[in-house]
């Protein structure tokens, strides 16, 4: 179990331990080049490869990528089906390389909505890489922060049926083990590419004290230099977790 940022003040290192990214702007990247939107999604997969490698090299322990939100089903069916096909082909092509690089793959979200072939591929890819320890790459697919909080609540109630008659006993430590990413600490750094400054139903619970970095660059153009710039920005933040600046300085001085 990782400490909760609202229960105790976490220690933060100069390299973010957990980076969570909303990979946005694929469509606009393509449209600005007079290409079909799906060309942007294909280029987005290339950027994923670059950023996974760069994060592993920098010593990031957990990298979480938002690939498909619970609201992305609202898109035209053709675009959704291209995204599903890209997801399948990326898993088929990349898992051996991830494994060779010591990366453990996890996929979180309401996976039951995917076609059985994709569900099976996800399970195979996870079990192929399950023993790897260098970095955990989580892909959030058909994920929504509200879905996660609801499913965790249902599952906590199943584990603690006494809560129904004693709801005042419900605390964080009973709920958070049931969140989809209970195996990871809360993100230190959130990055959203593509210029929008919103969370779009990503990790709502876990972002409580995450540093939020927004860049106008479209996801297919997000490279290791842009990642380094985000890390530099992160190093300059004073993470106070509700305390005063003076308290933080005193702790840093030991
Ligand atoms: C992000 O890029 C990829 C997914 C949501 C799957 P978009 O497709 O949202 O690109 P824009 O925001 O329309 O440019
Ligand atoms: C968020 O991007 C979801 C992913 C990147 C997977 P969207 O493009 O779907 O977000 P909105 O609709 O602009 O908020
Ligand atoms: Mg978008």
């Amino acid at each position: 179990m990782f400490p909760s940022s609202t229960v105790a003040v976490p220690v933060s290192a100069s390299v973010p331990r957990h980076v969570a990214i909303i990979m946005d702007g694929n469509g606009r990247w393509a449209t600005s080049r007079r290409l079909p939107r799906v060309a942007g999604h294909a280029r987005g997969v290339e950027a994923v490869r670059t950023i996974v490698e760069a994060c592993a090299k920098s010593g990031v322990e957990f990298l979480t990528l938002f690939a498909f939100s619970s609201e992305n089903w609202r898109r035209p069916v053709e675009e959704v089906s291209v995204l599903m096909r890209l997801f399948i082909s990326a898993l088929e092509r990349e898992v051996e390389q991830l494994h060779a690089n010591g990366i453990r793959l996890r996929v979180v979200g309401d996976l039951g909505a995917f076609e059985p072939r994709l569900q099976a591929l996800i399970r195979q890819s996870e079990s192929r890489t399950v023993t790897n320890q260098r970095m955990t790459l989580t892909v959030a697919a058909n994920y929504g922060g509200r879905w996660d909080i609801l499913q965790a609540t249902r599952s906590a109630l199943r584990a603690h049926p006494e809560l129904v008659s004693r709801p005042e006993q419900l605390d964080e430590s009973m709920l958070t083990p049931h969140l989809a990413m209970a195996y990871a600490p809360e993100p230190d750094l959130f990055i959203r590419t593509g210029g929008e400054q919103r969370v779009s139903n990503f990790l709502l619970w876990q972002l409580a004290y995450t540093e939020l970095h927004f860049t106008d660059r479209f996801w297919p153009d997000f490279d290791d230099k842009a990642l380094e710039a985000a890390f530099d920005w992160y190093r300059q933040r004073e993470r106070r977790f509700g305390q005063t600046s003076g308290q933080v300085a005193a702790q840093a001085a030991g």
Side-chain angles (χ1 to χ4, degrees), residues 21-25 28 37 65-69 71-72 75 140 192 196 198-201:
I21 306 182
I22 297 189
M23 310 182 288
D24 195 23
R28 283 164 287 157
R37 287 178 56 85
L65 302 176
F66 204 5
F68 192 86
S69 76
E71 290 70 55
N72 285 145
R75 293 189 176 197
R192 183 176 185 140
E196 306 300 345
R198 56 180 172 248
V199 173
S200 300
N201 198 16

Side-chain angles (χ1 to χ4, degrees), residues 6-169:
T6 45
V7 174
V9 177
V11 185
S12 43
S14 64
V15 173
R17 187 176 187 195
H18 182 177
V19 178
I21 306 182
I22 297 189
M23 310 182 288
D24 195 23
N26 291 349
R28 283 164 287 157
W29 179 92
T31 306
S32 70
R33 284 168 175 73
R34 298 169 191 268
L35 295 168
R37 287 178 56 85
V38 296
H41 296 314
R43 282 298 289 265
V45 178
E46 309 287 314
V48 168
R49 198 179 296 125
T50 307
I51 296 307
V52 169
E53 276 173 29
C55 282
K57 283 201 181 101
S58 303
V60 168
E61 290 174 53
F62 297 89
L63 171 63
T64 302
L65 302 176
F66 204 5
F68 192 86
S69 76
S70 43
E71 290 70 55
N72 285 145
W73 297 107
R74 296 169 180 166
R75 293 189 176 197
V77 280
E78 305 77 37
E79 180 164 339
V80 170
S81 86
V82 168
L83 286 167
M84 295 301 148
R85 267 188 281 136
L86 276 172
F87 192 17
I88 290 174
S89 69
L91 285 173
E92 285 172 342
R93 279 186 294 129
E94 310 289 343
V95 169
E96 279 314 307
Q97 191 60 41
L98 290 177
H99 185 54
N101 288 333
I103 295 165
R104 174 172 72 145
L105 178 73
R106 298 292 300 259
V107 181
V108 295
D110 192 358
L111 306 182
F114 293 135
E115 57 176 285
R117 178 173 160 227
L118 177 52
Q119 292 184 45
L121 193 55
I122 289 170
R123 279 193 299 271
Q124 284 161 23
S125 309
E126 287 181 325
S127 59
R128 176 80 178 124
T129 60
V130 71
T131 56
N132 295 334
Q133 295 192 346
R134 185 167 167 228
M135 183 175 86
T136 298
L137 168 64
T138 301
V139 174
N142 194 22
Y143 179 89
R146 291 186 178 182
W147 164 82
D148 198 3
I149 293 168
L150 277 172
Q151 70 77 25
T153 308
R154 289 187 198 115
S155 154
L157 285 173
R158 260 181 245 120
H160 306 278
E162 73 280 7
L163 285 175
V164 175
S165 54
R166 301 208 178 278
E168 66 284 358
Q169 287 181 356

